[in-house]
Amino acid sequence: MHIPPRVLTVAGSDSGGGAGIQADLKTMLALGTHGMSVLTAVTAQNSLGVQGAWELPAEAVRAQFRSVVDDIGVEAVKTGMLSSAELVETVAELLAGVSAPVVVDPVGVSKHGDPLLAASALDAVRGKLLPTATVATPNLDEVAQLTGVHVRDEAGMRRAADAVLEFGPRWVLIKGGHLPAGAGDSAVDLLTDGTAEHWLRAPRYDNRHTHGTGCTLASALAARLAKGDTVVRAAAAAKEYVTGALAAGFRLGAGIGPVDHGWRLRGER
C-alpha cells in the first residue's frame, strides 16, 4: 500500500479558498502528499479583502497539533497565519519537539494589505518561531516588518537575508515578487543559508490574480521536503510550481482572484 508523505499546515482559514489552509491543502494534494491541518484562526475573506478574523484558543491549536502528530506523524510542517504572540509562542513550543523539517511563512498582512499578525507578536516571531525554521519564506513587506530592512533591488535582498538569518532559521528564502517592475523582467527569489546563494528566477506574468502565492510557495516547499528533497531542490521545485499556478490564476469575485493550484492537472501554464 502506498502511503504518501505527510505534511502538516498550521495556519488560518481563508473562506474564499485562495490562501491559508485551503491553499496549503490544495498544494499538498497537487504535489502528491497527504495534507493535514491545525487551524489557528478563521477569517471572513474574499477577493476584495479580509472582512473579519477570529483567533482560536491556544489550547485548541495545541490539541489539534498533538492529535495529528502523536497518531499520524509528520514528515514536514508549514506555518502560516498565527496572529498573536500567544499563538506564536504555542506553535514554536510545539515545533521544538518535532524532528521533521519546518517551513515558516511569517505571514504579516494579506494580499489586500489587511493585518494578519499583531504588532505585539513580532518579538515572538523573531525570538521563538524563526529559530525553529528549516526555511523561512518572508516576502519583502514581511522582511521590513521583522528586520527594518527595506528592499528596493536585488542587492537589498542579500541584506534582507542576512538580517533574517540572524534570528536563527537554517535557510531563508527571500521572495522578491514585490520588487518594482523596473528592478527586472523576472520574478526573483534568493535562497541562502548565509554561505551558499541560490537565485531562483521565473518570468513575470501580467496577471493580477495572485491571491495565495505566499502560502502556495511555502506549502510546495514543505511538500517537496517531505518527499526527501534537499532544501535547494525543494525550493527550485516549489518556485516552478507556484509560477505555473500564478500564470494560470483566474478571476473569482470582483477583486484579486486566486492562483490555480490544479494547473498541472489540466496541463495549463
Side-chain angles (χ1 to χ4, degrees):
M1 178 187 299
H2 170 67
I3 300 176
R6 298 148 291 162
V7 189
L8 176 64
T9 170
V10 183
S13 168
D14 172 3
S15 57
I21 288 280
Q22 288 82 352
D24 297 341
L25 294 176
K26 292 173 188 177
T27 298
M28 292 167 187
L29 178 63
L31 294 180
T33 63
H34 175 68
M36 305 170 291
S37 61
V38 170
L39 197 64
T40 61
V42 175
T43 69
Q45 188 172 170
N46 55 25
S47 71
L48 298 174
V50 178
Q51 292 78 47
W54 298 268
E55 179 182 314
L56 267 68
E59 60 265 30
V61 171
R62 186 177 293 107
Q64 291 174 82
F65 189 96
R66 289 266 63 91
S67 179
V68 171
V69 173
D70 294 348
D71 173 47
I72 301 173
V74 293
E75 287 159 297
V77 182
K78 175 259 178 184
T79 72
M81 176 186 176
L82 300 181
S83 71
S84 71
E86 182 181 17
L87 286 189
V88 171
E89 291 169 0
T90 297
V91 172
E93 178 186 343
L94 292 166
L95 292 175
V98 172
S99 59
V102 173
V103 177
V104 170
D105 186 15
V107 175
V109 296
S110 75
K111 179 67 67 177
H112 304 85
D114 304 287
L116 298 176
L117 180 71
S120 58
L122 289 173
D123 282 344
V125 173
R126 298 182 190 107
K128 296 189 177 181
L129 185 62
L130 287 174
T132 71
T134 307
V135 191
T137 63
N139 63 31
L140 301 186
D141 292 334
E142 290 155 356
V143 165
Q145 189 179 38
L146 289 167
T147 71
V149 174
H150 294 271
V151 178
R152 295 177 177 83
D153 52 29
E154 289 187 15
M157 293 175 71
R158 287 193 175 96
R159 296 192 300 273
D162 289 341
V164 175
L165 285 169
E166 287 185 5
F167 297 123
R170 287 171 48 198
W171 291 81
V172 62
L173 179 63
I174 303 293
K175 298 178 292 191
H178 292 173
L179 282 175
D185 58 1
S186 63
V188 59
D189 303 332
L190 172 60
L191 174 71
T192 180
D193 62 354
T195 302
E197 281 187 0
H198 304 271
W199 293 89
L200 308 178
R201 299 181 185 276
R204 283 185 181 270
Y205 289 100
D206 184 18
N207 183 0
R208 67 187 296 265
H209 301 302
T210 59
H211 186 50
T213 49
C215 302
T216 300
L217 179 66
S219 295
L221 180 52
R224 295 296 306 217
L225 289 173
K227 296 177 85 169
D229 281 354
T230 64
V231 169
V232 174
R233 288 184 60 189
K239 175 77 169 179
E240 191 269 341
Y241 172 75
V242 77
T243 298
L246 193 156
F250 51 89
R251 177 177 178 174
L252 284 180
I256 299 174
V259 300
D260 185 357
H261 300 95
W263 66 273
R264 280 181 170 165
L265 303 178
R266 288 177 288 281
E268 297 175 6
R269 182 62 187 266

